[in-house]
């Protein structure tokens, strides 16, 4: 299989970037998308050219490091998958594939396809944790949580913080990411103590980072590799209202 | 954080405010079309309805409230739009709709433009009717607003402008009517799909209903005296 690639190359954060054409020859349909890029990079290295910088780590869809917009869709054409889980059999021989980085003011490009997602870390640091000391691990059954609640919290907790929601949103909004974290902790007993503080400071931090607001289009839900729904955003709004009303 | 004023300054607070005002404007539009439908019953019913409204001492207060709701909705939506534009300074070379569960539509991507069109429309609309020509009806002190309506919609140009504007209203509501619920945090696995569908039905019924009234008036305008 042979593919025509158009890949965003950008030397550094302040450099101007552009799409550069590459040809990927002898691509096997069994390769993953990232393996295909590895092969392209090996060829570049052999030719003495600089390889294409892109992010990846686990390559099994659990770490959220890989982050490519493929033909206009973050994480590519398959629903509920990350780029590293995408296979080349999804593409046709001779197809042109455009590869770009996440684009958002809050996710500046560092090099080529790699962006700086530390804004997400700062949102989490603003309140996406439980800091109440509760001593040693208790017996799991000591805190009863109904199955429904546990499932809902688990669904929200699936967020891997990849940032595809921001990349897909026309407003580059971080609401889905934030709301997944807020929902997860608001649903569980351990998250109650800091519940109100958390929602207020996380939203404040996201706004300060330069993410946009939300227009309820749900493009984020459609690209989320963990298929986290925007009902989380509605829950975050309710949490916000409660926190505001209860604020001292 | 969270001095009470700043509550509506955050991205979530902005949504809340646009949602609340949007819902209020939507409810207003429903009462508006219900009142307009009285035109189908003839001049007496319509003029009496209009008189009952304008002679009510509460109406000026409600008008000011409605005006403020409009202003807040417009101000918040425009500033949010400008802020959102800044959140992605470098555009994608290739961008596709994400499909699947996404609610994105022509309507949702053009909210700011349909909204700005409607600002212009509302100004011209209020100018043409509320502050339009005063004709006395046969009854003492009752304005013949029925005649104003027929006067205006005799002109094909006005009919054209109003029909386009009603299509714009329909488009704005197609996304906006149900979106207000999500903005207010109202979501439910059983009800949300119904709210989404109902929003589209009401958008169609309201825009279609106004268009029916406009066309009806235009067609029968010749039969009503100059
Ligand atoms: S590399 Fe870990 S999710 Fe793709």
């Amino acid at each position: 299989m042979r593919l025509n690639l158009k890949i965003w190359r950008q030397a550094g954060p302040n450099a101007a970037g552009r799409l550069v054409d590459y040809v990927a020859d002898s691509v096997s349909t069994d390769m993953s998308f990232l393996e295909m890029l590895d092969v392209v990079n090996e060829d570049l290295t052999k030719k003495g050219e600089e390889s294409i910088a892109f992010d990846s780590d686990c390559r099994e869809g659990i770490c959220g490091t890989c982050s490519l917009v493929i033909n206009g869709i973050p994480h590519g054409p398959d629903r509920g998958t990350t780029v590293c889980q995408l296979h080349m059999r999804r593409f046709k021989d001779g197809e042109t594939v455009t590869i770009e980085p996440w684009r958002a003011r809050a996710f500046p490009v560092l090099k080529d396809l790699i962006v700086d997602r530390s804004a997400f870390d700062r949102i989490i640091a603003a309140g996406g944790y439980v800091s109440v000391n509760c001593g040693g691990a208790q017996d799991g059954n000591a805190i009863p949580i109904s199955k429904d609640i546990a499932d809902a919290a688990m669904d929200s907790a699936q967020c891997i913080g990849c940032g595809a929601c921001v990349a897909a949103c026309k407003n580059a909004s971080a609401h889905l990411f934030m709301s997944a974290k807020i929902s997860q902790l608001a649903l569980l007993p351990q998250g109650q103590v800091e519940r109100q503080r958390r929602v207020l400071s996380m939203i404040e931090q996201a706004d300060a980072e330069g993410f946009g607001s939300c227009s309820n289009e749900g493009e984020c839900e459609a690209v989320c590799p963990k298929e986290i729904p925007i009902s989380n955003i509605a829950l975050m709004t309710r949490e916000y209202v409660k926190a505001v009303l209860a604020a001292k | 954080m969270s001095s009470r004023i700043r509550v509506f300054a955050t991205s979530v607070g902005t949504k809340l405010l646009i949602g609340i005002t949007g819902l209020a404007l939507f409810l207003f539009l429903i009462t508006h079309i219900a009142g307009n439908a009285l035109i189908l019953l003839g001049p007496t019913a319509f003029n009496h309805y209009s008189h009952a409204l304008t002679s009510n001492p509460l109406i000026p207060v409600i008008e000011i409230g409605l005006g403020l709701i409009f202003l807040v909705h417009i101000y918040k939506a425009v500033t949010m739009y400008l802020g959102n534009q800044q959140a992605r300074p470098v555009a994608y070379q290739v961008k596709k709709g994400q499909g699947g569960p996404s609610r994105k539509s022509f309507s949702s991507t053009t909210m700011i433009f349909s909204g700005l069109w409607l600002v212009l429309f509302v100004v011209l609309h209020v100018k043409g009717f509320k502050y339009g020509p005063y004709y006395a009806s046969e009854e003492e002190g009752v304005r013949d607003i029925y005649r104003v309506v027929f006067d205006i919609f005799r002109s094909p140009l006005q009919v054209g402008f109003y029909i386009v504007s009603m299509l714009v209203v329909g488009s704005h509501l197609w996304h906006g009517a149900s979106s207000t619920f999500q903005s207010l945090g109202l979501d439910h696995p059983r009800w949300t799909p119904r709210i989404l569908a109902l929003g589209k039905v009401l958008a169609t019924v309201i825009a279609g209903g106004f268009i029916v009234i406009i066309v009806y008036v235009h067609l029968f305008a010749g039969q009503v005296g100059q």
Side-chain angles (χ1 to χ4, degrees), chain B residues 139-159:
Chain B
E139 275 171 83
E140 181 72 30
V142 176
R143 182 186 181 193
D144 193 356
I145 188 79
Y146 188 79
R147 189 171 153 199
V148 179
V149 177
F150 276 76
D151 256 8
I152 286 180
F153 290 130
R154 191 166 282 130
S155 146
L157 211 68
Q158 289 279 13
V159 171

Side-chain angles (χ1 to χ4, degrees), chain A residues 32-50:
Chain A
S32 79
F33 198 85
L34 297 184
E35 282 165 349
M36 181 275 293
L37 284 180
D38 289 339
V39 172
V40 171
N41 270 343
E42 276 171 27
D43 286 348
L44 287 177
T45 315
K46 276 183 210 147
K47 281 193 256 169
E49 291 177 36
E50 191 171 343

Side-chain angles (χ1 to χ4, degrees), chain B:
Chain B
M1 164 79 203
S2 92
S3 82
R4 300 278 151 118
I5 310 287
R6 286 209 46 212
V7 164
F8 293 115
T10 65
S11 57
V12 178
T14 297
K15 275 179 78 175
L16 280 169
L17 211 48
I18 295 178
I20 294 170
T21 51
L23 193 60
L25 292 172
F26 178 56
L27 295 176
F28 161 70
L29 210 52
I30 291 176
T31 63
H32 190 345
I33 194 169
N36 280 19
L38 290 174
I39 205 157
L40 306 175
L41 301 180
T44 324
F46 192 63
N47 286 340
H48 278 172
Y49 162 70
S50 160
H51 184 70
L53 270 188
T54 47
S55 58
N56 187 328
L58 275 179
I59 282 297
V61 182
I62 293 176
E63 279 176 347
I64 292 171
L66 193 60
L68 287 176
I69 289 173
F70 261 108
L71 288 179
V72 170
H73 191 75
I74 297 163
Y75 173 75
K76 274 308 223 180
V78 169
T79 48
M80 178 175 103
Y81 175 76
L82 295 175
N84 288 344
Q85 294 300 99
Q86 286 172 10
R88 175 165 297 129
V90 183
Y92 286 104
Q93 306 279 317
V94 180
K95 189 72 167 61
K96 277 210 206 100
Q98 317 295 329
S102 172
R103 300 171 189 178
K104 185 176 188 150
S105 61
F106 170 79
S107 151
S108 75
T109 46
T110 53
M111 289 301 274
I112 187 74
F113 306 111
S114 53
L116 290 176
W117 178 287
L118 293 177
V119 175
L120 176 78
F121 168 75
V122 167
V123 171
L124 294 176
H125 174 57
V126 171
K127 188 164 168 280
F129 284 90
K130 186 171 164 63
Y131 299 106
Y134 186 96
Y135 302 124
S137 73
E138 281 151 23
E139 275 171 83
E140 181 72 30
V142 176
R143 182 186 181 193
D144 193 356
I145 188 79
Y146 188 79
R147 189 171 153 199
V148 179
V149 177
F150 276 76
D151 256 8
I152 286 180
F153 290 130
R154 191 166 282 130
S155 146
L157 211 68
Q158 289 279 13
V159 171
F161 173 65
Y162 267 77
I163 289 184
V164 170
S165 298
M166 289 311 103
L167 293 174
V168 175
V169 167
S171 173
H172 203 72
L173 293 180
W174 185 267
H175 175 73
S178 56
S179 181
T180 55
F181 288 84
Q182 170 77 9
S183 287
L184 297 177
L186 303 173
D187 171 89
H188 187 274
R190 284 232 326 268
W191 291 104
T192 299
R194 294 174 193 179
I195 290 172
L196 287 170
L198 188 66
K200 290 177 181 161
V201 170
L202 287 177
T204 314
V205 168
I206 290 176
F210 278 122
I211 290 174
V212 166
I213 294 173
I214 293 162
V215 171
Y216 166 85
V217 171
H218 180 68
L219 292 179
F220 290 96
Q223 295 166 23
V224 174
Q226 297 280 335

